């Protein structure tokens, strides 16, 4: 399995063009090498501008976006056209990783995923990913892909630990990419997290990210716009939690999911 940078810059809700471009530039020049966006975020052009501004070679930056089931659709031709439009907005010749954003709408593994293989064959995409899938849908996706599944992105944080999905990623040797890894800011109010942060003279954000990164095959894409938060999140790479810290976080009883949409695979049918 090819490496994926452990911490990426999430850009959801970063829709002001100048702020978005500058946050991407700042992150890359601070040491990030992974930038995550999506068609649905409506900021691909600004993300591309930030990549262009940064004093970092394009080949050193891992860029990911997501094909949306509504904005473009997930039929074969729609995936191809959607990716070409994303590349145009990003100002890039190719993409490191392309995700199916949600398995809803006109998503059909037998039609959608061969388009991803086609994009890899054409040299427009290096890796295939999916997002917000269940274990059954992940198995189905792998059955329909000629290319190896590279990543699955899912909401994952101390309040939604996703043990089964992480275990699936480990068993099948692909990356589990945690979005909303700070539980929409709630990690700053979780006693177990704040106690560990005080113990290590670290931030609650760093503790949450370090805990996620202590799990095999897991990467994180926290969103941040200001330089202070961008650099603080990156500091998680230097924080080593001990076994007691990890066990304390695993023992958090509160459970909460922040991201929902109609048709999500975890909803009752």
């Amino acid at each position: 399995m090819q490496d994926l940078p452990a911490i990426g810059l999430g850009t959801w809700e970063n829709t002001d063009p100048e702020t978005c471009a500058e946050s991407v530039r700042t992150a890359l020049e601070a040491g990030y090498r992974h930038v995550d966006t999506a068609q649905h975020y409506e900021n691909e052009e600004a993300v591309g501008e930030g990549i262009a501004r940064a004093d970092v070679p394009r080949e050193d930056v891992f860029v990911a976006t997501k094909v949306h089931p509504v904005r473009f659709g997930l039929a074969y031709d729609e995936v191809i056209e959607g990716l070409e439009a994303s590349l145009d907005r990003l100002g890039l010749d190719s993409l490191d990783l392309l995700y199916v954003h949600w398995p809803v709408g006109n998503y059909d593994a037998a039609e959608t995923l061969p388009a991803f293989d086609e994009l890899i064959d054409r040299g427009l995409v290096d890796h295939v990913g999916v997002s917000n899938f269940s274990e059954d849908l992940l198995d189905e996706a792998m059955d329909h892909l000629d290319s190896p599944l590279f990543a699955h992105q899912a909401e994952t944080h101390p309040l939604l630990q996703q043990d089964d999905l992480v275990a699936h990623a480990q068993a099948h040797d692909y990356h589990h990419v945690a979005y909303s890894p700070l539980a929409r800011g709630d990690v700053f109010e979780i006693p177990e997290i704040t106690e560990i942060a005080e113990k290590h003279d670290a931030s609650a954000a760093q503790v949450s990210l370090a805990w996620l990164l202590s799990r095999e095959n897991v990467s994180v894409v926290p969103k941040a716009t200001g330089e202070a938060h961008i650099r603080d999140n990156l500091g998680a790479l230097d924080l080593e939690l001990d076994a007691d810290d990890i066990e304390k976080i695993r023992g958090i009883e509160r459970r909460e999911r922040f991201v929902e949409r109609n048709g999500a695979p975890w909803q009752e049918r």
Side-chain angles (χ1 to χ4, degrees), residues 33-262:
R33 291 296 180 266
H34 174 194
V35 180
D36 181 82
T37 184
Q39 294 170 349
H40 189 61
Y41 301 170
E42 297 187 332
N43 62 7
E44 288 176 318
E45 193 171 77
V47 168
E49 174 62 24
I51 294 169
R53 289 182 189 179
D55 188 21
V56 177
R58 163 65 184 103
E59 59 268 23
D60 292 344
V61 183
F62 193 99
V63 184
T65 195
K66 309 173 192 75
V67 180
H68 197 262
V70 176
R71 191 166 296 277
F72 274 93
L74 294 170
Y76 187 98
D77 290 343
E78 292 170 335
V79 171
I80 303 292
E81 292 167 7
L83 181 275
E84 290 172 342
S86 286
L87 288 177
D88 185 59
R89 286 191 293 270
L90 286 161
L92 301 177
D93 295 326
S94 64
L95 196 69
D96 298 280
L97 173 59
L98 182 66
Y99 291 96
V100 174
H101 202 155
W102 287 89
V104 299
N106 64 342
Y107 171 75
D108 182 322
E111 181 177 7
T112 301
L113 297 174
F116 281 68
D117 286 322
E118 168 69 15
L119 291 168
I120 287 181
D121 291 342
R122 289 172 54 184
L124 296 177
V125 172
D126 289 339
H127 300 292
V128 177
V130 296
S131 185
N132 301 300
F133 275 42
S134 63
E135 291 173 78
D136 288 346
L137 288 173
L138 287 162
D139 289 336
E140 179 189 51
M142 290 187 290
D143 286 342
H144 283 88
L145 280 168
D146 291 332
S147 310
L149 179 66
F150 183 79
H152 175 224
Q153 190 169 131
E155 180 184 352
T156 314
H157 46 71
L159 303 181
L160 187 65
Q161 300 193 6
Q162 301 282 30
D163 291 342
D164 291 343
L165 288 178
V166 171
H168 192 278
Q170 293 166 346
H172 295 278
D173 202 25
Y174 61 83
H175 296 280
H176 180 95
V177 182
Y179 74 74
S180 296
L182 306 182
R184 298 286 175 88
D186 276 26
V187 296
F188 298 102
E189 302 170 2
I190 300 171
E192 293 89 342
I193 299 289
T194 57
E195 289 167 11
I196 294 168
E198 185 175 351
K199 168 183 168 182
H200 290 279
D201 193 23
S203 69
Q206 289 171 343
V207 170
S208 183
L209 297 174
W211 172 73
L212 287 163
L213 295 175
S214 73
R215 307 171 80 183
E216 188 179 349
N217 289 52
V218 174
S219 299
V220 296
V221 285
K223 68 172 187 174
T225 54
E227 182 173 359
H229 286 155
I230 286 170
R231 291 186 179 277
D232 184 72
N233 290 341
L234 193 63
L237 294 173
D238 299 320
L239 175 59
E240 187 170 346
L241 302 179
D242 60 38
D244 288 343
D245 300 329
I246 291 170
E247 191 60 31
K248 181 179 284 190
I249 295 172
R250 287 193 59 80
I252 293 172
E253 294 184 359
R254 177 184 163 195
R255 289 289 178 263
E256 188 162 356
R257 182 188 294 276
F258 294 92
V259 179
E260 285 285 6
R261 70 161 296 145
N262 290 338

